[in-house]
Amino acid sequence: MFPARHSCNGLSTNQLQAAFLALLPRIRMHGRVFFRHLKCPDKREDAIAEMVALSWRWFLRLVQQGKDPAQFPSTLATFAARAVQCGRRLARMERPRDVLSPRAQQRHGFQVESLPLSTRTSFENLYSVPRGQQRQDVFEERLRDNTVTPVPDQVSFRLDFPAWLQTRTYRDRRVIEDLMAGERTMDVADKHGLTAGRISQLRRDFMEDWQHFTGDFDDDCQPQA
């Protein structure tokens, strides 16, 4: 189709577009098969569109290298589909730490779903799963909760917490900072040369010490006579 070692400059835009459009049906068909696991039609079409865009970019690159993409359209489509599945996009790459990114969801094995709002949840969806109504009630209760800490409590914490930290050792303060940052128990243990059991003991000790420091403790936390 193209002379060997031919560059894009030797072909007009219309010629390049016509050559790619001849391959487009096979590329789109490959995409529909490859992304058939995507149940949402919009997400499936978005993936196919990104696949076509990547195929066009690589098509031009191959022509510049003097290769004829028409000789291996299935290979071109396969590589483009795999790239999209791994988070590759025409203009960017999916962020691996963004919870809304399909790449992050695929890598870490989770999915993001919308909360079931009572005005939108159908009767079938609500009662076709075990404890559907119970889950609905829990979601609605959480949405009604006020998650804003009262100002007096905020001021008290800002004053008490730094003062309490000064009563702990340097190592304890580092462990507390890591736990507050959300690091896993095993990761904190490895970082500070401790066992996971010891970190769990320290976590309990920190909680009881903080409750005694602020005077907010129950009968279980009171010292024995």
Side-chain angles (χ1 to χ4, degrees), residues 13-187:
T13 302
N14 292 336
Q15 289 176 312
L16 291 171
Q17 291 178 347
F20 182 75
L21 289 175
L23 304 180
L24 187 56
R26 295 187 60 179
I27 295 175
R28 291 188 60 85
M29 177 62 70
H30 190 93
R32 283 192 290 269
V33 174
F34 191 91
F35 295 110
R36 65 184 182 277
H37 64 282
L38 298 178
K39 303 304 181 183
C40 177
D42 293 336
K43 291 183 178 180
R44 185 166 57 249
E45 288 301 320
D46 287 344
I48 295 175
E50 289 288 351
M51 174 186 167
V52 171
L54 286 178
S55 298
W56 169 245
R57 169 185 284 181
W58 294 347
F59 175 89
L60 295 177
R61 188 177 301 169
L62 289 169
V63 173
Q64 288 178 336
Q65 297 174 358
K67 299 178 182 179
D68 182 4
Q71 300 298 322
F72 42 88
S74 297
T75 303
L76 176 64
T78 298
F79 277 102
R82 290 177 180 175
V84 172
Q85 187 180 39
C86 293
R88 181 76 176 272
R89 299 295 182 265
L90 179 65
R92 57 183 173 83
M93 188 78 173
E94 291 282 356
R95 296 180 178 180
R97 295 186 178 181
D98 184 359
V99 295
L100 298 180
S101 167
R103 179 187 179 194
Q105 297 176 25
Q106 180 182 7
R107 171 177 292 185
H108 300 289
F110 70 94
Q111 62 181 6
V112 177
E113 299 179 352
S114 59
L115 295 178
L117 302 181
S118 58
T119 57
R120 299 181 180 179
T121 303
S122 65
F123 182 89
E124 291 78 8
N125 291 337
L126 189 61
Y127 293 102
S128 62
V129 296
R131 299 183 179 180
Q133 182 61 58
Q134 181 178 354
R135 293 181 58 192
Q136 175 81 8
D137 295 340
V138 170
F139 279 126
E140 292 182 350
E141 182 179 355
R142 290 181 178 178
L143 291 176
R144 285 196 300 267
D145 288 342
N146 181 9
T147 58
V148 178
T149 305
V151 174
D153 293 343
Q154 295 184 39
V155 175
S156 178
F157 180 80
R158 289 177 181 273
L159 294 175
D160 292 342
F161 190 70
W164 172 71
L165 283 179
Q166 295 304 314
T167 66
R168 309 298 306 193
T169 64
Y170 174 72
R171 188 208 64 179
D172 287 349
R173 292 197 296 270
R174 292 176 57 198
V175 172
I176 292 170
E177 291 175 356
D178 292 337
L179 293 174
M180 290 181 63
E183 296 191 22
R184 299 185 306 171
T185 300
M186 289 297 301
D187 295 337

Side-chain angles (χ1 to χ4, degrees), residues 176-206:
I176 292 170
E177 291 175 356
D178 292 337
L179 293 174
M180 290 181 63
E183 296 191 22
R184 299 185 306 171
T185 300
M186 289 297 301
D187 295 337
V188 176
D190 293 340
K191 182 177 181 179
H192 297 281
L194 302 172
T195 64
R198 179 55 180 160
I199 294 297
S200 298
Q201 293 175 352
L202 287 175
R203 192 194 300 269
R204 175 71 177 179
D205 176 61
F206 295 153

